[in-house]
Amino acid sequence: MSDRYTHGHHESVLRSHLWRTPENSASFLLAHLGPGLSLLDVGCGPGNITSGLAERLVGGSVVGVDRSEEVIARAREQYPSTPQRDVSFRVGDVYQLDLPDESFDVVYAHQVLQHLVRPIDGLTEMRRVLRPGGLLAVRDADFGGFVWAPRNPLLDRWLDLYHQLTRRNGAEADAGRMLKGWVRAAGFQDLTVTSSTWTYESDGERAWWGGLWSERLLHSDIAQQCLEYGLATTFELEAISNAFLEWSIQPDGAFLVLHGEVVARR
């Protein structure tokens, strides 16, 4: 089975990607960074985290790799290299990186392994391009650990449907809890395992999170694939979409998004 990106690149997906920063998506890595290091960002998407990391590596360099030509073109346009930010972007395959052995001090992958059919193979390739003593840093959501209030059976159905869809694509929605085992299986032994959350609870946060999931369930590849595989009907997707909007206006609403994190030395 080949990889099929469950989310696709609809605007509602990219809006989520562009919200991410080194602070909210790579805090477990930041203390390990310093001037002059070379870093590879695997699955860099539109490049905003990549650029932010490059600004922290004074005298160093950062390369962002993604398989989507569309998002790489966007990253190149939005984040050109400057004297304060040595960053470049290229189209690439996580299983066959067109990069020399032992060429980076740090390899970072955020929300990537959960979408791979062969996550251990991807990690093995990341290990190949790390220098001896180099650092791997991976972070993935764990959908099975997501919790929210108020309770709503339609949101329960959303979570079950998402698990069905990712399994159909050969991916792992609960990747956060799997990272330790995958990293060890790829040949790393010196590991530090942590977890963190994104929390959406203020009026603005609920409107943003509920709105983007409401859109994804109608217009993104998630919707298209659910219909293609016969996992849901248009009527059901519309009902779940509306449930996210209803949740977003609840004053007591909160949504906690769990992530697993691993840093490991080669």
Side-chain angles (χ1 to χ4, degrees):
M1 179 183 291
S2 60
D3 293 335
R4 184 177 190 184
Y5 185 29
T6 300
H7 293 251
H9 294 100
H10 183 263
E11 191 277 333
S12 61
V13 178
L14 290 177
R15 189 161 78 243
S16 174
H17 292 175
L18 289 167
W19 167 83
R20 300 170 186 173
T21 66
E23 289 72 26
N24 67 32
S25 300
S27 60
F28 71 111
L29 168 62
L30 298 183
H32 300 278
L33 300 181
L37 295 178
S38 59
L39 182 147
L40 175 66
D41 183 0
V42 178
C44 66
N48 40 298
I49 299 178
T50 322
S51 175
L53 292 172
E55 292 172 0
R56 292 173 174 269
L57 300 180
V58 178
S61 62
V62 175
V63 176
V65 173
D66 198 282
R67 73 176 189 176
S68 169
E69 295 183 6
E70 177 184 354
V71 296
I72 287 296
R74 179 171 182 162
R76 286 172 175 160
E77 179 179 358
Q78 188 71 30
Y79 302 105
S81 190
T82 70
Q84 295 76 35
R85 182 179 66 207
D86 185 352
V87 62
S88 62
F89 298 95
R90 60 174 68 184
V91 177
D93 181 350
V94 64
Y95 300 120
Q96 292 182 305
L97 296 168
D98 186 19
L99 296 162
D101 294 351
E102 301 180 359
S103 51
F104 290 91
D105 299 304
V106 181
V107 174
Y108 167 73
H110 184 252
Q111 313 290 23
V112 173
L113 297 171
Q114 63 183 285
H115 299 297
L116 302 185
V117 173
R118 297 182 284 122
I120 296 170
D121 289 347
L123 285 163
T124 301
E125 181 68 350
M126 295 180 207
R127 188 176 186 275
R128 179 187 68 79
V129 301
L130 267 177
R131 295 189 176 109
L135 189 76
L136 172 78
V138 291
R139 182 175 190 259
D140 269 278
D142 191 310
F143 277 72
F146 289 11
V147 294
W148 59 83
R151 293 187 173 93
N152 186 324
L154 285 170
L155 296 186
D156 294 337
R157 171 57 178 153
W158 160 76
L159 189 60
D160 177 63
L161 184 61
Y162 186 81
H163 277 93
Q164 290 183 50
L165 177 57
T166 51
R167 283 195 296 269
R168 185 67 177 264
N169 285 338
E172 177 53 80
D174 300 339
R177 71 190 71 181
M178 307 296 292
L179 294 182
K180 179 181 179 180
W182 289 346
V183 171
R184 284 172 52 84
F188 294 89
Q189 296 184 358
D190 182 9
L191 279 67
T192 300
V193 181
T194 57
S195 62
S196 62
T197 59
W198 290 334
T199 301
Y200 305 105
E201 63 82 23
S202 70
D203 290 350
E205 290 165 346
R206 294 194 317 274
W208 183 81
W209 181 249
L212 71 85
W213 270 105
S214 177
E215 287 184 42
R216 288 188 196 191
L217 286 160
L218 298 178
H219 306 299
S220 75
D221 284 18
I222 291 175
Q224 296 170 16
Q225 292 173 28
C226 282
L227 296 174
E228 175 187 336
Y229 295 149
L231 300 176
T233 64
T234 299
F235 178 80
E236 184 175 26
L237 293 176
E238 289 174 347
I240 300 172
S241 173
N242 287 332
F244 266 105
L245 294 179
E246 292 170 6
W247 167 83
S248 73
I249 61 174
Q250 299 299 315
D252 294 332
F255 207 114
L256 313 182
V257 176
L258 177 66
H259 293 81
E261 305 158 342
V262 175
V263 292
R265 292 284 176 188
R266 186 184 191 281

